[in-house]
Amino acid sequence: MSTSATEPVAAIEPPQTVEGWYVLHEAFHLDWPRWRALSTDQRHTAIDGLLGWLRRDAGSGAGDSAGDSAAYAVVGQKADLLFLHYRPTIAHLHQAQTARQRLAIAAYCRDAGSFVSVTEASLYEAGAHARAALQRQGLSPSDPGYADALERETATARRGLEQRLRQPIPVRSHLCWYPMSKRRGEQHNWYAMTLDQRRHLMRGHGQLGQLFRDQVTQVVSGAIGLDDWEWAVDLHADDPLTFKKLVTAMRYDGASAHYAEFGPFWIGLRQDDEGLRRLLS
Ligand code: 76R
């Protein structure tokens, strides 16, 4: 019996993945009239508190302070400020969130949305090599111990990726982030394709992406089971036109053309301490 891309088949397997930092995007509107009504001193004290939180919480040291945090001014009316946090655990993200809620400036901020995810790389290629090696050894996916053997075969690839998934937030002046999911339609269902079919599409995706490697740093974080979309896509670039060019190119590529569903797009300008001071003073 032949199987089409839309028929569920027994051999459907999720890709193996490697995870790194947990990620929180959180956005806020500032209540400008009330904020401006504060005295200059009160405002400066509140800004110092905000900068202290970003710095204290943004150390890329070990233990509780491991990870990174960055602030962005949001362009458009979706929000005024966006904070991006990388942390070792969900509990650490929550810690950053509750510390922010206790800041003086929090009394002037209104929630404008959040997203929880974890940096992720899928092992489509390394997984395929590993499967082929196991097949040569006479192992089949139904054998006991297959999952462990697969894990061992991909160990080197995993170690390489684990480091890449725990980098600081890329220092580029512009951020474009959006949530996305893979389609589960009647005609096009990402989750009903075989691993090989998806690997083929992801190879094309990766090759296209590589053309933009110098201009954009892409951070994909997985959110299945964590939030309302399946991934967060973060693109960091110095020239915002690159976002339009890259996302347009992707729209014409098989993986996105047939299978991508998009949430709202957010554009932010990265703010250092001075930038935040200027913005809020
Ligand atoms: O990580 C790698 O370098 C390997 C190749 C690669 C993977 C596995 C890769 C490369 N991506 C991967 C996974 Mn991507 N990516 C997006 C979007 O707007 C759209 O149409 C889609 C949003 C963009 C713009 C983009 C850019 N990528 C993924 C996944 C997970 C899918 C899964 O596991 O099923 C998603 C949702 C996703 C979405 N991708 C690249 C880029 C760019 C620029 C690259 C090249 C990066 C580089 O080589 O440095």
Side-chain angles (χ1 to χ4, degrees):
M1 195 183 77
S2 73
T3 53
S4 81
T6 52
E7 269 173 51
V9 288
I12 290 177
E13 275 183 85
Q16 292 171 283
T17 54
V18 186
E19 282 77 18
W21 299 126
Y22 282 88
V23 181
L24 175 64
H25 293 77
E26 47 170 15
F28 302 94
H29 289 287
L30 193 66
D31 185 341
W32 289 105
R34 283 180 57 235
W35 175 250
R36 276 200 211 96
L38 291 176
S39 72
T40 309
D41 269 2
Q42 285 171 315
R43 259 199 321 260
H44 281 164
T45 308
I47 295 170
D48 288 343
L50 174 68
L51 297 178
W53 165 72
L54 270 172
R55 258 198 307 272
R56 181 185 55 244
D57 242 82
S60 28
D64 280 0
S65 71
D68 201 2
S69 288
Y72 298 85
V74 176
V75 187
Q77 293 185 353
K78 289 194 179 91
D80 292 304
L81 290 171
L82 171 79
F83 301 114
L84 178 58
H85 307 284
Y86 291 177
R87 289 295 184 282
T89 67
I90 289 254
H92 287 101
L93 286 182
H94 186 247
Q95 224 171 338
Q97 177 183 327
T98 49
R100 193 255 314 140
Q101 282 159 345
R102 288 189 212 108
L103 296 174
I105 198 173
Y108 305 88
C109 290
R110 193 159 43 80
D111 296 349
S114 70
F115 198 80
V116 179
S117 51
V118 58
T119 59
E120 173 200 284
S122 40
L123 293 169
Y124 277 109
E125 296 299 336
H129 291 304
R131 279 179 180 77
L134 295 183
Q135 197 176 14
R136 283 195 299 274
Q137 293 164 33
L139 276 171
S140 98
S142 56
D143 290 340
Y146 186 83
D148 289 344
L150 197 58
E151 189 98 10
R152 274 196 303 280
E153 281 293 329
T154 51
T156 310
R158 280 173 184 283
R159 271 196 299 278
L161 286 169
E162 268 159 18
Q163 223 185 359
R164 218 182 71 187
L165 295 168
R166 284 207 172 73
Q167 296 294 312
I169 294 170
V171 184
R172 303 260 204 165
S173 55
H174 295 72
L175 168 72
C176 166
W177 97 265
Y178 48 100
M180 67 169 286
S181 295
K182 289 288 170 75
R183 185 164 295 150
R184 280 175 297 176
E186 286 177 23
Q187 294 297 322
H188 291 104
N189 183 343
W190 181 258
Y191 296 94
M193 284 194 290
T194 65
L195 196 55
D196 260 355
Q197 288 169 322
R198 280 173 282 132
R199 180 166 60 84
H200 177 73
L201 285 165
M202 287 312 294
R203 182 185 285 177
H205 170 83
Q207 283 168 350
L208 178 57
Q210 272 173 27
L211 301 177
F212 293 85
R213 177 170 265 175
D214 294 340
Q215 298 117 277
V216 183
T217 311
Q218 174 228 26
V219 180
V220 166
S221 48
I224 295 182
L226 299 177
D227 217 316
D228 301 340
W229 294 80
E230 294 170 354
W231 285 276
V233 178
D234 283 82
L235 308 171
H236 301 263
D238 291 321
D239 178 359
L241 207 49
T242 311
F243 300 140
K244 181 172 178 293
K245 306 244 186 246
L246 167 57
V247 176
T248 303
M250 291 283 170
R251 295 270 159 117
Y252 290 91
D253 180 64
S256 295
H258 296 304
Y259 299 101
E261 309 264 7
F262 299 100
F265 281 64
W266 298 76
I267 295 290
L269 298 166
R270 181 141 181 173
Q271 303 296 314
D272 58 11
D273 284 12
E274 271 324 293
L276 269 184
R277 246 180 230 292
R278 260 198 314 277
L279 185 73
L280 297 171
S281 291

